[in-house]
Amino acid sequence: MQSQDVAPRPGPSSTASSSADPVVDVEQAEAALVEHYPRLVRLAYLVLPARLGRSRRVLTAHALTQQALPRGRTSVPVIPAQSTGRDGDPGYALVRLQVLRAALRAGLPLRRTAWPKRAQLPPTLPQVWGLKLFPRSGGAEELALDQRLSALSGPARAAYVLRGLEKLPDDDVRTVLTAAGVDDVDAALDEADNADEAATQYALLESPEFDPCSLQARPTDLMRRRQHMKAALAAAAAVAVCGALLGLPGDGRGPEGAAAPAYAQNPSAQEALDPAKLTRAAPGTWQSSARTDFSVWPARGELTGDQGLLRRALAVWARPGATVRVSPTPGTPTGGPAGPPQLLYAGTVDSARVVLLYDGLRVARYAEPKDSTKGAALDFARVDGASSAEASAVVLSRADGNVRYLMAPWVKEAAERDLMKPGSGVMNLPLTDGTTAPLASPAVRTGACTSWNVLQVTDASGTRLLTDLGELVPARLTTGRPGSAHDASGARSQRTWAPFACSLSAMRAAGVRSVNAWEFATQPLPDAGETTWGSPRPQSAGGSAAWVCTRAETWRGDGTRVMAQFHTPGGTYGAVAARAQDVPACGPRDPHVLAGVLWKSGTGSWYLLAAGSRGTSSISATGGVRGTANGNLLTVKTRQGAQAGLEGTLESGRSISGLG
């Protein structure tokens, strides 16, 4: 053979990496690996020994390439790639080095005195079952080249491939092999020289014969596979029998002690699924009991005696099938009841049969079509610790954008009211066995928010408002300073809520228990104007804007949502100035809040308006707007798009920051 002319080989001292070597992060290495994946897999395939067999070489080449991604930032010797698209890319040089190092390790023989390297073991991923994969067959020249390469040592094959496939000069080949851990680089280069017949041999390295990304498939040994399958089935049956025997009751104690096996027919499990064991409150219990929650609701509806319906509802609760739509509120467990639950309702509502059950923690609603058991639905809502106000109503059904409620036995009257129009009247909702007539639900509405219908409930303790937020139990609406909030039943409370009713849509399906609106400040406007969100102009130049904080409490405790909102005189809607989640601000634990907004006056001037709650002694603006004011109000002239931070000091000396 004639060896290819190569440059003089430098001494070993020239191959050491320096402190100036580039550092490659994981993202850069991943991009190089993905872009040049076919070439890297081909390089690994060529360096791996032929004794592995073509099919295993293919899978091992893919596995080694996919494992080449470094775990962190890594330095790499400066080795310029000579092919188009890879020139000077340290990311490609790094992953190429990793692939080459792993392929050389995979070719080492196993030793009894040492643990095998990861690359020496069969690949865990990727895996192919029942098929053998190998590259397409080439011609006589490719076969001859493959035989010559198989006769070389691993380092010599690596040197040959780096020269022919990567077009690297010997200087860079030496650097790569040294970095890959080759002890005798000179011997590897000399052995590769003897394998070089002509430069045209290098072109064969690009042929389909050595492309592990373009594969052919053939079945494995079918007879042997059948024998292995029979043996595996026999082993699985033996394991199952042994497991069943070990699970039988006996003198021994397993990790679960005296617990019965799963799905055992123990008395508690049977009672929880027995409709005859359902508990039912007497019709007059609520009048004499000290409790005023769902536990004193009587069972209502014309199907309370339908044992088949009740049995299906209990069975679906315990073991919902794949076709059952299960919808819990956030933080509500969906497992079956621990014992017999309480029946609240069983009857036909609109086009469905509905069952309401209560287990002390949750209300569960089971619904199925009137003419079939297919398409059943199961809804859950957490209601532990409910007061009489919060246990006033439960959703029975939703249909055509309307909602029906089952009211508590102590509710005397129910009516529908538009929260956005506090001056309008109410529409009475007749009650039939505790069930209301349908009313429009804002929870399922799409499009512009022009109204927000709420449920007005009257009982012996007074009147309150409840709103549907897309869950089983409506949320209670209140107003007032945190710690002393009250039901939003009066005219003033309803006027407070009116501009902010549409903001309730941001609290849908969040497990909300109650929402309080607190007007924490009133701020004079510097001159007549309009807000940045396009609400109408104030009615007078000397008007004042209202700052209102709305806080949604949840049944589970966490997930509270707080919004500071700003409303100018004459505006239909308020605007959200700041929002936060899971913070104590604007709540009973911390009845303080600070927020600000950019506002445009009628003269075209821009202002930063900020307000704090009662007890705020000073407010300062930082960042792109600078200003300080004593008291709980701040007005600073600024420019459009300015970014500002807010810091406040309470009369107690404690510092607070702007909400959000």
Side-chain angles (χ1 to χ4, degrees):
M1 301 182 184
Q2 286 186 341
S3 61
Q4 182 185 13
D5 291 337
V6 295
R9 299 169 188 161
S13 61
S14 65
T15 62
S17 61
S18 68
S19 59
D21 290 343
V23 176
V24 178
D25 57 29
V26 177
E27 292 77 11
Q28 185 179 359
E30 182 184 24
L33 192 151
V34 172
E35 181 181 0
H36 304 294
Y37 183 85
R39 174 169 289 272
L40 293 168
V41 177
R42 183 188 292 263
L43 185 148
Y45 180 83
L46 288 165
V47 175
L48 287 169
R51 57 181 167 81
L52 295 178
R54 300 176 71 193
S55 181
R56 180 171 168 185
R57 282 174 69 192
V58 166
L59 296 179
T60 302
H62 282 276
L64 298 181
T65 304
Q66 294 172 16
Q67 295 165 8
L69 192 67
R71 297 184 179 275
R73 293 169 57 85
T74 307
S75 62
V76 59
V78 179
I79 307 167
Q82 301 301 318
S83 299
T84 303
R86 306 189 305 282
D87 292 339
D89 183 3
Y92 175 77
L94 174 61
V95 293
R96 181 183 60 191
L97 177 61
Q98 299 282 70
V99 169
L100 185 65
R101 181 183 292 133
L104 289 172
R105 288 176 179 173
L108 297 176
L110 294 175
R111 298 180 180 178
R112 294 182 179 181
T113 59
W115 287 100
K117 302 288 186 181
R118 180 183 182 186
Q120 294 175 275
L121 299 174
T124 55
L125 287 175
Q127 284 283 357
V128 178
W129 297 87
L131 289 175
K132 290 183 177 180
L133 301 178
F134 47 88
R136 299 181 180 277
S137 299
E141 293 180 329
E142 287 86 353
L143 179 60
L145 177 60
D146 191 32
Q147 292 174 346
R148 284 196 298 273
L149 289 178
S150 65
L152 298 177
S153 65
R157 277 195 305 274
Y160 188 93
V161 172
L162 289 174
R163 285 173 174 174
L165 184 66
E166 291 298 286
K167 308 297 187 296
L168 293 182
D170 276 13
D171 289 0
D172 293 336
V173 172
R174 176 185 293 277
T175 303
V176 175
L177 292 180
T178 302
V182 176
D183 294 329
D184 194 345
V185 177
D186 288 334
L189 290 168
D190 291 336
E191 188 179 356
D193 288 341
N194 296 330
D196 291 345
E197 286 189 345
T200 56
Q201 292 289 320
Y202 287 152
L204 297 178
L205 298 177
E206 301 276 1
S207 70
E209 171 77 12
F210 306 112
D211 183 9
C213 291
S214 178
L215 303 171
Q216 297 183 99
R218 293 293 185 272
T220 56
D221 190 328
L222 299 179
M223 291 300 296
R224 181 178 297 179
R225 189 168 68 188
R226 180 179 297 174
Q227 294 171 355
H228 289 175
M229 183 64 68
K230 290 179 180 179
L233 290 175
V239 171
V241 171
C242 293
L245 292 175
L246 291 174
L248 290 176
D251 296 334
R253 287 288 183 261
E256 296 180 347
Y263 302 103
Q265 296 297 315
N266 59 68
S268 296
Q270 289 178 319
E271 288 183 0
L273 298 178
D274 188 354
K277 300 291 186 179
L278 285 172
T279 62
R280 304 172 190 235
T285 301
W286 64 273
Q287 295 175 314
S288 57
S289 175
R291 300 189 62 168
T292 55
D293 57 8
F294 293 99
S295 64
V296 296
W297 278 34
R300 287 170 285 182
E302 76 278 10
L303 298 179
T304 54
D306 189 333
Q307 297 296 301
L309 173 63
L310 299 179
R311 187 179 301 278
R312 290 194 298 274
L314 290 169
V316 170
W317 185 354
R319 302 184 305 277
T323 61
V324 178
R325 180 185 59 80
V326 180
S327 177
T329 58
T332 304
T334 59
Q342 178 182 341
L343 178 62
L344 303 182
Y345 181 88
T348 302
V349 185
D350 297 325
S351 60
R353 290 187 292 262
V354 178
V355 178
L356 288 178
L357 300 166
Y358 170 68
D359 70 347
L361 173 68
R362 304 160 293 176
V363 169
R365 174 185 176 271
Y366 170 79
E368 65 181 24
K370 284 196 298 186
D371 54 354
S372 173
T373 58
K374 296 181 180 180
L378 188 63
D379 301 315
F380 294 95
R382 187 170 172 175
V383 292
D384 50 314
S387 64
S388 61
E390 295 160 341
S392 295
V394 173
V395 171
L396 268 184
S397 74
R398 301 180 190 276
D400 302 326
N402 297 321
V403 59
R404 288 181 186 267
Y405 293 98
L406 178 66
M407 307 304 299
W410 53 81
V411 172
K412 297 180 179 179
E413 296 178 356
E416 179 180 358
R417 171 184 290 279
D418 187 351
L419 191 61
M420 295 184 65
K421 302 177 178 62
S424 62
V426 298
M427 183 178 69
N428 291 328
L429 297 173
L431 298 178
T432 305
D433 194 21
T435 303
T436 68
L439 68 151
S441 171
V444 296
R445 179 186 55 208
T446 59
C449 179
T450 57
S451 63
W452 194 274
N453 296 323
V454 295
L455 178 66
Q456 180 173 295
V457 176
T458 303
D459 56 27
S461 62
T463 301
R464 59 186 57 92
L465 298 183
L466 307 173
T467 183
D468 180 23
L469 295 179
E471 298 173 326
L472 269 184
V473 180
R476 181 184 181 186
L477 298 180
T478 61
T479 56
R481 184 178 178 84
S484 57
H486 52 83
D487 284 298
S489 55
R492 181 177 179 180
S493 297
Q494 292 171 20
R495 287 195 298 270
T496 299
W497 259 114
F500 312 105
C502 291
S503 66
L504 289 167
S505 61
M507 304 168 189
R508 294 171 179 165
V512 174
R513 184 173 189 165
S514 63
V515 188
N516 183 59
W518 169 38
E519 185 174 323
F520 64 89
T522 302
Q523 184 169 20
L525 298 174
D527 46 46
E530 58 185 356
T531 60
T532 60
W533 48 89
S535 54
R537 291 179 179 272
Q539 295 174 342
S540 62
S544 296
W547 285 95
V548 171
C549 183
T550 56
R551 180 181 176 92
E553 302 287 352
T554 66
W555 289 96
R556 63 189 184 278
D558 62 349
T560 56
R561 301 184 181 185
V562 181
M563 292 189 291
Q565 305 192 58
F566 183 77
H567 179 240
T568 55
T572 304
Y573 306 101
V576 177
R579 66 181 74 208
Q581 187 166 329
D582 288 324
V583 296
C586 196
R589 292 182 178 273
D590 186 15
H592 302 285
V593 64
L594 173 64
V597 70
L598 289 180
W599 182 81
K600 183 181 179 182
S601 70
T603 61
S605 299
W606 286 87
Y607 292 89
L608 169 65
L609 305 180
S613 54
R614 187 178 63 192
T616 303
S617 61
S618 65
I619 301 175
S620 298
T622 61
V625 182
R626 297 285 181 173
T628 301
N630 293 324
N632 70 326
L633 301 176
L634 171 68
T635 302
V636 179
K637 196 168 185 178
T638 183
R639 68 184 188 282
Q640 181 179 2
Q643 300 291 325
L646 293 175
E647 298 291 337
T649 303
L650 302 179
E651 294 176 352
S652 63
R654 180 165 71 92
S655 298
I656 60 173
S657 299
L659 185 70

